[in-house]
Amino acid sequence: MRIAVVGSGYVGLVAAACFAELGHTVVCIDSDAGKIAALKAGRSIIHEDHLQGLLDRHRGVGLSFSTSLTEAVKESLVIVIAVGTPPTASGDADLSYVESVTRAIARSAEGYKLIIEKSTVPVYTSAWIRRVMILNGCSSDAFDVVSNPEFLREGTAVTDFLYPDRIVAGADTERAGATVREIYKPLLDGSYARRSDAVSKPQGNQDMAVYIETSAQSAELIKHASNAFLAMKISFINAVAAVCEAVGANIEDVRKGIGSDTRIGSRFLQAGIGYGGSCFPKDVAAFRSVAKENGCQFGLLDEIHRINEEQRQRFIKKVRTALWTLKGKRLGVLGLAYKDGTDDVRESPAIEIVRRLLDEGCTITAFDPAATERARAVLGDIISYAPDAYTAVQDADALIILTEWKEFATLDLGRIKKLLNYPIVLDGRNLFDPQLMAKAGLNYYSIGREAIEPGDSASLAPRNPRREVSAKP
Ligand code: UGA
């Protein structure tokens, strides 16, 4: 099938590459000529496992790139809208890109088109797309609109797309539903997973996705409600972590105990410094706005957001408690991305915590395995950037872990201790076993677990006598 994907962000580019992988002929459109030039030259513009491989496999065969939406609409039966819907000041999603793409589709369409809305949008967006098409001269039987929300996560986007739990299609006509089923057929009947050249399936993913066909409104709500529910799980466990700290319980044991109940499930119950990224914060706010506009009280959504904000404050307080005073302290920070496996720093709790620590007078050297360049674009030279984790902690008064990169969990603790000015580690992602930290002689502060302070105050004496320190913790 000929498919045009409009938008080459995380969702658009991954969808375009994966549709090509499923055997479709795909053109990916973006108005940013620089991005399209990079993609035409074979460079993936985002850090995502398997994506470069798919681009290499399909570029120039089933996958092309262009800045011309008009051409793409003319040539394609299906147009997938995957443009950004950034938040406005009030928390609503800004739908102006969706609207302008819809207008352009209406003006270029010749013959029947199926418009698939994949950007995360509030309820009634499909209805608005329909209305804009008609207002711009398209007859109502010359197109269908389907809401087909995407549930992929950054970092595992390709395998999430190719081995999804479910495919949701908010299709109001049988014709539209049939086309969506045809597009995703290899994922619905398991034939993609059986292919010898398939991207390998991660453990725990399904061969065959569940197909859920609903009204457009229901599909739109499924997306917002799914993200809000996952954000709720994270805020819930973070609030439980605070109680654990207050009563001397261990959040990792409590999490295991709760998550082993199959009705609850163990995923998205990792306590930390709160959720970030371009989706959860925006979608919780947008869902709240949708509920409010439609006369529904949904105070739980406010609470999810409040706990998430508080979690960052609590972590800063922990750093202050461990170091006594922050002014003049030199910190080695590991992790700037909003989570592991990605170079994305949008709404990253790590970036926000770094900013607040700088406001308190700290100096920071940071390392991130993938996000340094994007972080530099946001933070500039207000912090220093290290080429590796060990350089970041050299002569630091404490090590601060802000992103759950797996490689941080395998660092040589003996070496870290030698490099640090004080043996203090603050772990915002619970990457380490506290007993191991104790054995390594490190003072260890994590989330929802008792602080480990193996050494007496003598162990906190500065190791580097050449350095002036403002105070001794
Ligand atoms: C999220 C959803 O998981 C996807 O299903 C959805 O498609 C996507 O938003 C979207 O709407 O586009 P993503 O933002 O890529 O995906 O990342 P997640 O893996 O969900 O993590 C979000 C944040 O929650 C990160 O900051 C992560 O560190 C944090 N998190 C996640 C926790 O603090 N604890 C957990 O247990 C899980």
Side-chain angles (χ1 to χ4, degrees):
M1 207 173 291
R2 294 189 85 91
I3 302 177
V5 178
V6 189
S8 69
Y10 280 90
V11 171
L13 185 56
V14 169
C18 290
F19 282 139
E21 173 75 354
L22 297 183
H24 302 299
T25 303
V26 184
V27 54
C28 182
I29 307 296
D30 204 294
S31 53
D32 183 331
K35 277 188 180 178
I36 291 299
L39 289 165
K40 278 185 170 171
R43 289 196 308 279
S44 167
I45 46 181
I46 54 175
H47 175 92
E48 199 59 60
D49 265 3
H50 304 291
L51 186 58
Q52 187 65 54
L54 289 189
L55 295 179
D56 293 346
R57 186 185 284 186
H58 299 293
R59 188 170 54 94
V61 190
L63 177 60
S64 58
F65 298 95
S66 169
T67 50
S68 171
L69 181 57
T70 310
E71 283 293 299
V73 169
K74 284 203 173 100
E75 286 166 7
S76 308
L77 170 67
V78 178
I79 297 116
V80 178
I81 302 179
V83 294
T85 53
T88 61
S90 62
D92 297 331
D94 173 358
L95 298 174
S96 55
Y97 299 119
V98 175
E99 186 184 354
S100 63
V101 167
T102 306
R103 269 202 309 271
I105 296 171
R107 286 182 195 143
S108 322
E110 289 167 4
Y112 173 78
K113 303 289 168 192
L114 174 67
I115 301 170
I116 294 187
E117 169 43 58
K118 228 182 217 315
S119 304
T120 302
V121 290
V123 71
Y124 296 132
T125 302
S126 291
W128 273 107
I129 291 176
R130 167 167 289 282
R131 192 174 297 186
V132 171
M133 290 292 288
I134 291 170
L135 284 174
N136 282 276
C138 279
S139 103
S140 62
D141 58 359
F143 70 94
D144 284 305
V145 184
V146 168
S147 166
N148 172 221
E150 188 47 63
F151 302 104
L152 58 80
R153 287 160 303 163
E154 288 183 24
T156 52
V158 168
T159 47
D160 284 346
F161 191 101
L162 293 171
Y163 299 101
D165 292 339
R166 81 293 209 189
I167 289 166
V168 173
D172 291 330
T173 67
E174 174 46 34
R175 172 175 64 174
T179 311
V180 174
R181 289 194 294 276
E182 187 56 31
I183 294 171
Y184 288 107
K185 194 166 179 283
L187 306 183
L188 298 174
D189 64 12
S191 58
Y192 177 72
R194 289 194 296 275
R195 260 172 46 183
S196 59
D197 63 347
V199 170
S200 36
K201 180 165 69 85
Q203 218 183 353
N205 284 45
Q206 313 292 324
D207 281 0
M208 280 190 241
V210 174
Y211 180 69
I212 302 168
E213 202 166 297
T214 67
S215 69
Q217 285 95 312
S218 298
E220 288 161 345
L221 271 192
I222 287 170
K223 173 67 190 184
H224 268 162
S226 298
N227 273 3
F229 191 87
L230 292 169
M232 178 185 73
K233 282 187 92 173
I234 298 168
S235 278
F236 183 86
I237 205 67
N238 282 333
V240 174
V243 180
C244 285
E245 285 175 22
V247 304
N250 180 328
I251 190 62
E252 296 305 325
D253 293 339
V254 173
R255 174 170 84 95
K256 200 168 164 197
I258 303 173
S260 308
D261 184 329
T262 50
R263 293 171 303 171
I264 296 172
S266 58
R267 298 174 76 190
F268 282 75
L269 280 183
Q270 179 63 56
I273 49 174
Y275 58 78
S278 64
C279 304
F280 285 173
K282 175 184 78 142
D283 291 352
V284 170
F287 194 27
R288 190 165 131 240
S289 199
V290 164
K292 202 167 159 197
E293 263 171 35
N294 289 281
C296 301
Q297 288 291 332
F298 205 160
L300 178 58
L301 297 174
D302 295 305
E303 193 58 12
I304 293 168
H305 170 72
R306 190 195 62 75
I307 294 169
N308 198 52
E309 291 295 303
E310 191 179 85
Q311 201 60 11
R312 296 160 198 202
Q313 299 286 5
R314 289 177 60 81
F315 189 72
I316 304 275
K317 199 169 155 207
K318 225 182 257 284
V319 180
R320 200 179 290 117
T321 308
L323 286 169
W324 188 25
T325 62
L326 291 178
K327 196 170 168 198
K329 289 282 157 61
R330 196 191 292 196
L331 305 176
V333 164
L334 295 186
L336 294 165
Y338 80 95
K339 65 168 192 176
D340 65 328
T342 180
D343 59 352
D344 197 343
V345 297
R346 286 176 292 174
E347 298 283 325
S348 171
I351 297 281
E352 202 185 319
I353 287 172
V354 161
R355 282 193 199 281
R356 291 195 199 168
L357 290 169
L358 290 173
D359 287 347
E360 301 257 4
C362 298
T363 54
I364 290 177
T365 302
F367 168 69
D368 188 286
T372 302
E373 285 321 307
R374 286 185 188 248
R376 200 194 298 271
V378 174
L379 294 170
D381 58 5
I382 54 176
I383 64 168
S384 307
Y385 302 90
D388 58 70
Y390 298 108
T391 312
V393 301
Q394 172 106 43
D395 282 338
D397 295 323
L399 159 60
I400 316 274
I401 299 169
L402 298 179
T403 308
E404 64 271 44
W405 285 100
K406 293 181 188 52
E407 52 254 66
F408 295 160
T410 56
L411 288 171
D412 176 344
L413 295 177
R415 191 169 163 199
I416 293 281
K417 188 177 177 214
K418 276 198 199 115
L419 288 168
L420 279 168
N421 190 35
Y422 299 129
I424 297 177
V425 177
L426 286 124
D427 181 359
R429 300 292 194 161
N430 285 5
L431 290 186
F432 291 98
D433 175 352
Q435 297 317 317
L436 279 182
M437 300 306 265
K439 255 194 212 151
L442 289 159
N443 288 25
Y444 181 62
Y445 308 88
S446 55
I447 309 288
R449 300 186 292 189
E450 265 179 326
I452 297 289
E453 293 174 334
D456 54 20
S457 55
S459 71
L460 299 180
R463 284 167 196 287
N464 183 349
R466 285 166 297 154
R467 278 199 57 213
E468 288 279 317
V469 286
S470 57
K472 201 170 160 184

